[in-house]
Amino acid sequence: MRATVIHGPRDIRLEDVPDPEVRLATDALVRVVASCVCGSDLWPYRGVTETSEPGRIGHEFVGVVEDMGSEVATLKVGDFVIAPFALSDNTCVHCRNGVHTSCERGAWWGGRDEHDLPIDAGQGEAVRVPMADGTLVATPGMPDDAAIPSLLTLSDVMGTGHHAAVSAGVGPRTTVVVVGDGAVGLCGVLAAKRLGAERVIAMSRHSDRQEVARAFGATDIVEERGDAGVARVRDLLGGVGADSVLECVGTKESMQQAIDSARPGGRVGYVGVPAGGAELPIRQLFGSNVSVGGGVAPVRGYLEELLAATMDGSIDPGRVFDLHLPLEQVADAYAAMDERRSIKVLLRP
Amino acid sequence: MRATVIHGPRDIRLEDVPDPEVRLATDALVRVVASCVCGSDLWPYRGVTETSEPGRIGHEFVGVVEDMGSEVATLKVGDFVIAPFALSDNTCVHCRNGVHTSCERGAWWGGRDEHDLPIDAGQGEAVRVPMADGTLVATPGMPDDAAIPSLLTLSDVMGTGHHAAVSAGVGPRTTVVVVGDGAVGLCGVLAAKRLGAERVIAMSRHSDRQEVARAFGATDIVEERGDAGVARVRDLLGGVGADSVLECVGTKESMQQAIDSARPGGRVGYVGVPAGGAELPIRQLFGSNVSVGGGVAPVRGYLEELLAATMDGSIDPGRVFDLHLPLEQVADAYAAMDERRSIKVLLRP
């Protein structure tokens, strides 16, 4: 089959690789229907993180079960399934606590399973899925083609935006600020709206992203950044600051923006992978009683809830995909996201 | 009257100062019945923070209203009152949000009020209390002398320990670790027990403090610190870590101990004033989804609830006072706490 391999900075290739097959009794073999490029895939693409040797890449995909091992109990051949960006057994104590990203048997796409067998990544034609019962969630019936973009966001960005909102304590009548207008930030707007927020202020300078933010439920857009952005947010919120702030970028500046935008006693929910130097200013947090929670999103734990909301039409997060390309053009997909010509690119094998 | 003045490191004096009187229509004049020394008073005492000029000290006291201005509506002369460690109007948006320490008109004992008039501190014979309606809470009737130590803890340490527990999300069936065996940490044990914690592990090396911790509801004592302490906690909790960790010290080491003791997805509630270098390790927090919340405790917001619990005998936090001295011996009180001969010293004018 063909799968995406990263060789180094800005060197993305679609290559012929061995066909995956069921190796363990708990495996499923999934034919990929759609995958996509994540903001975090741009880190090795840009050389921010090192690529020491060529490796498979991509951790978001949906597809159809083609084969499975004898012990897989919750799936059947022909099921349409959603794969979260992390593998988990869904039974250990951490999974039961809802923190599937800390699963005792957890693994990552493109990595190794507990038997040290290689795991395929998402940007390819097929994937061997270890711990299939724990990792995959099947849709009720075969979805329409039009539903696929929204279902694909449940692999990562919608669950991650939801995690930011939950971690920031968003609920009915909450005032919310979302820092970051990437796909995760936009999904954070949608999640906050869905959870009942009264006011959702999206911080964005890009008209295309502002448009999606408004469609997702943003009540206000703030284009300013830094101190000017904080002043504008406070002005919109009666001088008080927000109850809940979703930090969806991961830089020191964006985290500071988020903390400064919270009211005393407010909560910052962060899901941006922390980039260099992003320590937290504890004295400021102490004095203002602003709390900080979140982290790598346990999207598996949210999947059933968000799948139901997607299927019944309450949310349509698939709008974050503003470019659809065939898998052959995966290198173009990376370039489009790198150059911010696209919010998020969907790939079809 | 006589009041305590700090002149510099280890230079605490009881001096004659002007008698306070009602200056504003919203003032009350309170005759102090009992006050005490706080762990944070030891910072200037030890020279960790600078004393640039002699200043009043003490921010915890209870007493009786002797006089008040014409606009004070919720108190009457003769009321026994509890003074939280921060002054607040109890009406602004931050107070309504329960964050009285961020009150728009907030002030501090020994500081200046909004008219730049000096405010007395707590370790003296009497205190002019600005914003008396907002700041003070009267007990229902005159308490027994035996109840005074517990009521005095509501000025700070009991409310602060409670804030740590609330910020750490303690509730029914929670597993809890308390880092710090000072008066605040011990009150944190009591607060966690009161909030329904199933397991409360107190980290303490001192037999006298261990005894109070057990009386307050600790189910386990861990004497080890650092990695050995974390290993012992995990061992006690089935290898998982605690749902809630109360950080009641404020050093980099104690915060790290707290974070390391939390399970993935767990919560650290911190109330220790952050000492130098206590930045938070965001990459570790991100990977484990451990959240950090808390700060300077808005004890005024908890006062009615904790007063009711004290009056009905549900809690008896006054046990943290293991030394009672007359105000004349205030310098001895500081020395006893500095040398850890006493957990906390109560002073009677």
Side-chain angles (χ1 to χ4, degrees), chain A residues 257-327:
Chain A
Q257 179 95 51
I259 292 168
D260 291 345
S261 299
R263 68 162 171 84
R267 292 169 67 174
V268 173
Y270 73 110
V271 291
V273 183
E279 300 299 293
L280 295 170
I282 193 169
R283 276 174 206 75
Q284 177 183 1
L285 297 173
F286 183 83
S288 61
N289 272 286
V290 170
S291 71
V292 177
V296 55
V299 302
R300 175 63 186 85
Y302 300 129
L303 235 163
E304 284 87 350
E305 174 186 349
L306 296 177
L307 175 59
T310 304
M311 299 297 283
D312 72 13
S314 319
I315 55 173
D316 59 341
R319 281 198 61 163
V320 297
F321 292 108
D322 56 353
L323 182 60
H324 293 218
L325 292 176
L327 183 60

Side-chain angles (χ1 to χ4, degrees), chain B residues 36 42 63 76 105 126 136 153 210 234 236 264 277 310 327-328 336:
Chain B
C36 54
L42 297 180
K76 58 184 191 300
R105 301 167 66 207
L136 299 174
T153 66
Q210 291 174 2
R234 292 192 174 270
L236 287 169
T310 304
L327 183 59
E328 289 80 11

Side-chain angles (χ1 to χ4, degrees), chain A residues 140-159:
Chain A
M142 187 61 58
D144 289 343
D145 199 64
I148 285 173
S150 285
L151 294 172
L152 179 57
T153 68
L154 304 184
S155 276
D156 187 342
V157 291
M158 184 62 214

Side-chain angles (χ1 to χ4, degrees), chain B residues 163-241:
Chain B
H163 186 54
V166 168
S167 299
V170 176
R173 291 176 300 284
T174 313
T175 57
V176 177
V177 169
V178 180
V179 178
D181 63 358
V184 170
L186 294 169
C187 286
V189 170
L190 187 58
K193 175 70 177 177
R194 176 176 168 267
L195 292 169
E198 174 181 283
R199 195 84 179 263
V200 183
I201 301 174
M203 308 202 71
S204 173
R205 293 179 168 182
H206 304 87
S207 60
D208 55 335
R209 293 161 191 249
Q210 291 174 2
E211 190 182 327
V212 179
R214 288 205 184 272
F216 279 1
T219 53
D220 306 84
I221 303 287
V222 168
E223 297 204 344
E224 296 88 343
R225 293 191 189 178
D227 290 346
V230 172
R232 183 80 187 110
V233 162
R234 292 192 174 270
D235 189 47
L236 287 169
L237 297 175
V240 175

Side-chain angles (χ1 to χ4, degrees), chain A residues 15 67 71 76 135 152 180 184 186 192 215 231 245 248 254-255 270 273 281 319 330:
Chain A
E15 299 185 352
D67 191 11
E71 291 178 19
K76 59 185 189 299
T135 300
L152 179 57
V184 171
L186 294 169
V245 184
C248 305
S254 61
M255 180 58 90
Y270 73 110
V273 183
R319 281 198 61 163
V330 61

Side-chain angles (χ1 to χ4, degrees), chain B residues 75-90:
Chain B
L75 305 170
K76 58 184 191 300
V77 171
D79 274 352
F80 186 93
V81 290
I82 298 162
F85 72 78
L87 295 92
S88 58
D89 65 14
N90 200 32

Side-chain angles (χ1 to χ4, degrees), chain A residues 21 32 101 163 170 173 184 233 246 258 283 301 316 321 335:
Chain A
E21 55 188 29
V32 174
T101 41
H163 187 54
V170 176
R173 291 176 301 285
V184 171
V233 163
L246 282 53
R283 276 174 206 75
D316 59 341
F321 292 108

